[in-house]
C-alpha cells in the first residue's frame, strides 16, 4: 500500500501497539535480530509490505509467503511462530491469537491518523438553517445543506455535498462521506459511517389500485414513518433505506451494509447482521441478529428470518426461515452449451418424474 | 407513527374527510359512542395507532386487532362492520368499500400538509442560468443547478442539490427530492415524484468493436436520443433511466419505479406498469401496460412483453412474453447441504434424462 | 432523433466524413441521383431518420427498411449495396465494410459538436482548495468541490456538483458528468467518461469478528488502498468501485462498465473488459482482458476469470474460469404454475436420481 505517514510522523512498533485501541487482545513482541528497528509508516500484505511497514498472517494458505516477506514486523499466531522456529525470521514477530483482528485495529489507527489531519470546521459554502443544532467539534464540508430542525451530534464529520433533511438527527462521532442524502425524519445513532450516495428515508414503494382514475392506475400511499439507524452502523455507497409507511424502518446496532443494497419500507434488521453488496430486502421483512446475507441475495417481503441465519450470495429467500444455518439457492453455472442441455430438461422436470414413476409402477 | 400535526392544526374527522381528495369513494361515518371526538393528528396501523389517530383494516388477517385498537377512528368495509356488530367498537367507524384506497388518500393529505409547510421560493445558493424558464410558484432548494434553456413547470418543487441539465424540461407540480440529476435533453411530465439519487439521461451502454485501435478495443456510440417521462410517474431512489441511442427512452404515464432500478437505452415502458426495487431492463426492450415486475427481476434486451404481464421477483425474462399472466423462474432455496446435493444432479440433468430414456427403451 | 444542428451549422456529407475521426475505415460515397444534396443535421435509424439526416444498416434483419428510408444518406456495406443494385436508392450511399463502427464515429462527432458549445471555465460557485492543481482548459461546473492536493488534467470537464477528494487525480480530456464522487486517493486515467452518481473509492466491505465487544460484533478493517482507473474507461451512472484494503482496486485500460455495477475492493479488471448493468463483482476477484459480463451477473469473491471469458446475463459465477468461452447459469422462466411443478421436483432432484439408480440396479 502507499506508505501513509511521513517518517517523522511514523511511530515505532511499540508506540503503534500502545496507540492503537487493542484492548482485550493478547500481544507479545519477539525480536529475533539485534538490528535497529525502523519506524512503522504503514501496513501491507505479506506479499507487498515494504521495509517500513507491518504485515500479518491470518490465512494459513499464505504461510509460505512468510519466508520472503520484507516487512519490518509481522503479526502471527504463537502456533505459527513456533512452527517456523527453525528459520531466522528477518522481521520482528508480533504474536497474537487473533492476527486478523489485530490487523483491523492497527489499520483503524492508520486511517484515523489520516482523518485527524483533515480540515475541520464548518465550510462557508454550507447552507445551514438557523434552527438546526450543530454540536461542538462537528465539521461540515463544502456545499452541504442542513435543513430546519436537524441535529448533528458532537464530533461528527460531514463530507462535501451532504444533505440532512428537516428534523433529521445524526448522532455523535459519525462519519458521513461526501454526497450522503438524509430525508426528513431520519435518525442515525452514534459512530455511524455512511458512504457516498447513501439515501436514507426515501418513500417506501406503496400504492393502492385506484379504479376511479383509470384502469390500472395507482394511488400513492404517502410514507409517513421514518428511518431509525442504531449505533455503530456502516452503510455502503449508493445503498438506500426507505422510510416506513406508518412506523419506522429499523436498522439495529452494529449492522453492516455493503454498497448498492436496498432495504425496503418497514423492514427491521437485527443487531450485528451484515449484508454484502447488491442485496435487496423487500418490504416489511424482519431479519434477526447476527445474520449474514451474501452478495446479490434477495429476500422477499413480509418474511421473518430468525437469528444466525446465513444466506449464500445470489440466493432468493422466498419463505420464512426459522432455523439458524446456511441457506442456498443458486443455479450452477456451466459452459453455455452444457447449460442449455440441462436447462431444457429442467423445464420438463415434472414430466421426467412422471416417467420415472411410470417405470417404477407401470400400472399407474 | 409519529403524530404529525400539532393539536391546533389537526382536523376533526369530518374536516379530514372533506379535505382529503376522496372523490369517487363511498364513505359513511358511524359513531357508536356519544363521547366527544378528538381531532385527528395522524394515521397509524391497527396495532400502533394512538388515540388521536385514524387507522384502517384492509387485510382480513388483521381483523382480530380491531378489538384492541386505540385509534379515534377506523376505516373498514361495511361487511366487516356488520360482522362486528355485537361488539361496541370504542372508536368511530368509517365505512368504505375500499379501505386501502381511502387510507392512501388520507395519508396523501397528511403528507401534503407537511409539504405545504416547507419553505418555498428559490434559495440564494442555487445556480440558475439566465436562459432557464422557471414558472410561477416553483421552489428550488439550496445548491441546485439549473442549466441553460431548462424549464421548470408551475408549482414544482426541487429539493437541495438537484441538477437540471441543458434544455431539460420538468412539468407542473413535480416533486424532485434532494440530489436528483437530469442530464440534458430529458423531459419529465406533470406531477412526477423523483427520489434522491435518481439519474435520468445518462448515456446508454453502446459500443462498437474498434479493431483499428487495439484487439478488443471499443468505440463509443454517442447516445443522441433523450429520455421522455410521462405524467404521474414516480421513480425511486438511485434508479437510473438511460438516454436513447437515437430516439428517446420512454416511460409511460402512471409508471411507478421503485429504488435501484436500471432502465437501459431505447426501452419503452407502458402506462401504469410498476416495478419493484433492483429490477434491470436491458436495452431496446418494450414492456406493455399494467405490468408488474417483481424485485430483482431481470429482463433481457430487445424483447417485447405484452400488456398485463406479471413477472415474479428474481426471475430472468430471456424471451418475448405475449400472453398476459404470471411468469416465474426462481431457484428454490434450501439448507445449503440439501441444495448442494440437488445442484449436483442439476448439472447432469441431461444425463439423467438419457438414463431414464435408456430404461424406457433399452435398445437405444 | 431530434435534429441536432441548426441548418447553418450542419456539414455537407463530405464535410462530415472529413471532420469525423474515421481513420482506418474504408469509405466510398456513391451518388445515385443528380439532385442537390441537403446538409446533414443529424443521425437517425433507418425507420425514423429525416431527410436531413444520415442513417446506417448494420443489422441484416433491417435490410427491408432500406427501401422506405427517407434519410439523405445511408451507410451500408458494399455487399448490401450490390445486392440492391436493381433499385434506384433515393439517398446517397456511403459504402463501408463496417457500417456500425462508421455510425459510432459519426455519432461521436455530433455529440462532440454539442459538447464544444457548452460553457467552459471554472464556475464561481465551485469550491477549489488552494493546493489543488487545475490544468489548462479544464472546465469545472457549479457547486463542484475539489479538495486539497487533487489534480485535474488538461482539457477535462467536470459537470455540476462533482466532488474530487483529497489527493485524487483525474487525467486529461476526461468527462465527469454531474454529481460524480471521488474519495481521496483515487487515480483516473486519460479520456475517462464517468456518469452521474458514480462513486469511486468508498471503503471496501471488510470486518473482523470482534468478540471483545459483544457476541457477533464486527471490527472495521480500515481500507488503506486506493482505486486506480486506466485510460479510455467509461463508468455508468450509480456504479461504485471500492478502494482496496491494502493495495489498489484496479480497472484496466478501455474497460466499459454500465450503470449500477458494484466492483468490490481489491478486484482487478483486465483491459477492454465490458460489463452490462447491475453486475456485482465481489472482493479480490481478478477478471481477465476482453471479457464480457452480462447484465445482473454476479461474480463471487477471490476468483480468477481468464481472458476472453463471456458470462451470460443473470449468471452467478462461483468458481474460477480458466478457459475462454461462454458460461451460463440462469433458471429458465415459465408460466408460474408450470414453474411451480418443476421447481418442486428440483427440490427433490437427488431423490429422483436415487430412484433412477435403483431402477437401473435394483440390488443397491
Amino acid at each position: 500500500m502507499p506508505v501513509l505517514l511521513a517518517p517523522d510522523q511514523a511511530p515505532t512498533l511499540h508506540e503503534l501497539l500502545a496507540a492503537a485501541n487493542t484492548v482485550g487482545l493478547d500481544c507479545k513482541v519477539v525480536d529475533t535480530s539485534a538490528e535497529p528497528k525502523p519506524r512503522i509508516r504503514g501496513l501491507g500484505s505479506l506479499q507487498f509490505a515494504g521495509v517500513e511497514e507491518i504485515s500479518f498472517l491470518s490465512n494459513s494458505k499464505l504461510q509460505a509467503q512468510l519466508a520472503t516477506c520484507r516487512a519490518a514486523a509481522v503479526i502471527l499466531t504463537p502456533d505459527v511462530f513456533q512452527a517456523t522456529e527453525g528459520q531466522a525470521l528477518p522481521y520482528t514477530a508480533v504474536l497474537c491469537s487473533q492476527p486478523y483482528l489485530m490487523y483491523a485495529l492497527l489499520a483503524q489507527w492508520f486511517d484515523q491518523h489520516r482523518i485527524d489531519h483533515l480540515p475541520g470546521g464548518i465550510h462557508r459554502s454550507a447552507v445551514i438553517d438557523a434552527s438546526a443544532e450543530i454540536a461542538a467539534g462537528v465539521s461540515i464540508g463544502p456545499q452541504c445543506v442542513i435543513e430546519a430542525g436537524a441535529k448533528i451530534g458532537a464530533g461528527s464529520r460531514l463530507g462535501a455535498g451532504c444533505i440532512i433533511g428537516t428534523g433529521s438527527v445524526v448522532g455523535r462521532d459519525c462519519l458521513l462521506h461526501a454526497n450522503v442524502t438524509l430525508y426528513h425524519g431520519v435518525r442515525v445513532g452514534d459512530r455511524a459511517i455512511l458512504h457516498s450516495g447513501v439515501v436514507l428515508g426515501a418513500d417506501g414503494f406503496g400504492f393502492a389500485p385506484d379504479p376511479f382514475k383509470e384502469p390500472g392506475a395507482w394511488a400513492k400511499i404517502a410514507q409517513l414513518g421514518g428511518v431509525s439507524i442504531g449505533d455503530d452502523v456502516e452503510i455502503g455507497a449508493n445503498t438506500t433505506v426507505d422510510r416506513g409507511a406508518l412506523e419506522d424502518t429499523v436498522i439495529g446496532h452494529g449492522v453492516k451494509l455493503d454498497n448498492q443494497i436496498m432495504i425496503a419500507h418497514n423492514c427491521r434488521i437485527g443487531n450485528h447482521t451484515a449484508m454484502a453488496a447488491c442485496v435487496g430486502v423487500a418490504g416489511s421483512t424482519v431479519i434477526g441478529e447476527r445474520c449474514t446475507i451474501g452478495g446479490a441475495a434477495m429476500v422477499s417481503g413480509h418474511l421473518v428470518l430468525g437469528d444466525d441465519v446465513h444466506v449464500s450470495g445470489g440466493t432468493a429467500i422466498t419463505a420464512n426461515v426459522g432455523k439458524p444455518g446456511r441457506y442456498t439457492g443458486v443455479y450452477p453455472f456451466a459452459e453455455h452449451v452444457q447449460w442449455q442441455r440441462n436447462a431444457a430438461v429442467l423445464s420438463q422436470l415434472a414430466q421426467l418424474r412422471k416417467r420415472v414413476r411410470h417405470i417404477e409402477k407401470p400400472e399407474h
Side-chain angles (χ1 to χ4, degrees), chain A:
Chain A
M1 60 157 275
V3 170
L4 277 187
L5 304 181
D8 62 335
Q9 294 184 324
T12 65
L13 176 60
H14 288 277
E15 286 167 358
L16 173 63
L17 292 171
N21 177 22
T22 61
V23 177
L25 269 181
D26 58 298
C27 176
K28 187 182 166 194
V29 175
V30 183
D31 284 329
T32 54
S33 88
E35 291 187 31
K37 303 293 178 294
R39 289 178 174 273
I40 306 295
R41 299 175 58 194
L43 219 159
S45 63
L46 287 174
Q47 193 179 356
F48 293 114
V51 295
E52 296 170 304
E53 294 180 17
I54 185 168
S55 188
F56 65 100
L57 173 71
S58 66
N59 178 346
S60 58
K61 286 186 200 162
L62 303 180
Q63 197 161 335
Q65 296 181 5
L66 274 181
T68 55
C69 178
R70 301 182 310 138
V74 174
I75 310 164
L76 65 184
T77 62
D79 285 2
V80 167
F81 181 68
Q82 246 179 335
T84 62
E85 212 161 4
Q87 312 167 32
L89 294 176
Y91 35 73
T92 302
V94 178
L95 306 189
C96 176
S97 58
Q98 300 189 62
Y100 196 57
L101 179 54
M102 171 69 85
Y103 149 57
L105 299 175
L106 297 189
Q108 280 180 15
W109 184 88
F110 278 103
D111 197 43
Q112 192 57 48
H113 196 87
R114 181 186 68 77
I115 290 172
D116 288 346
H117 283 73
L118 293 179
I122 294 171
H123 196 272
R124 61 180 162 72
S125 64
V127 173
I128 302 177
D129 191 273
S131 66
E133 296 178 27
I134 313 295
V138 164
S139 60
I140 296 181
Q143 318 288 23
C144 283
V145 177
I146 317 289
E147 297 187 345
K151 298 180 189 176
I152 314 290
S156 285
R157 305 183 67 101
L158 276 63
C162 288
I163 297 173
I164 310 298
T166 308
S168 285
V169 177
V170 173
R172 300 170 67 99
D173 296 315
C174 292
L175 175 58
L176 277 63
H177 289 275
N179 267 336
V180 167
T181 306
L182 270 55
Y183 279 55
H184 62 281
V186 172
R187 304 179 68 88
V188 175
D190 297 336
R191 295 174 302 281
I193 300 175
L194 307 183
H195 285 281
S196 297
V198 161
V199 177
L200 304 183
D203 286 347
F205 196 64
F207 299 92
D210 186 351
F212 298 106
K213 259 197 209 151
E214 208 179 334
W218 301 99
K220 178 175 176 68
I221 296 175
Q223 303 290 304
L224 303 175
V227 171
S228 169
I229 308 279
D231 296 330
D232 300 300
V233 168
E234 181 160 353
I235 303 184
N238 285 356
T239 282
T240 56
V241 182
D242 275 0
R243 65 191 318 110
L246 292 168
E247 323 302 332
D248 281 2
T249 304
V250 179
I251 308 290
H253 297 303
V255 168
K256 311 297 180 187
L257 303 180
D258 198 354
N259 295 11
Q260 311 245 26
I261 288 173
M262 163 59 176
I263 308 291
H265 58 170
N266 313 321
C267 285
R268 304 177 74 91
I269 312 296
N271 297 345
H272 305 307
T273 282
M275 302 190 190
C278 304
V279 163
V281 183
S284 301
T285 281
V286 177
I287 296 184
E289 304 197 348
R290 295 174 307 277
C291 295
T292 59
I293 314 286
M298 189 193 79
V299 186
S300 297
H302 298 274
L303 298 183
V304 177
L305 276 65
D307 297 338
D308 302 298
V309 165
H310 303 283
V311 176
S312 301
T315 296
I317 299 293
T318 53
N320 291 339
V321 178
K323 197 175 131 192
R326 184 175 173 198
Y327 296 84
T328 307
V330 180
Y331 201 107
F333 80 98
E335 290 190 40
H336 185 72
V337 175
Q338 190 192 333
W339 167 80
Q340 266 181 317
R341 262 187 232 122
N342 290 323
V345 185
L346 176 56
S347 298
Q348 303 174 326
L349 203 50
Q351 198 60 31
L352 184 67
R353 183 164 65 177
K354 260 194 203 155
R355 284 159 62 182
V356 171
R357 268 190 201 147
H358 185 72
I359 296 168
E360 291 169 336
K361 307 196 175 178
E363 69 276 13
H364 280 72

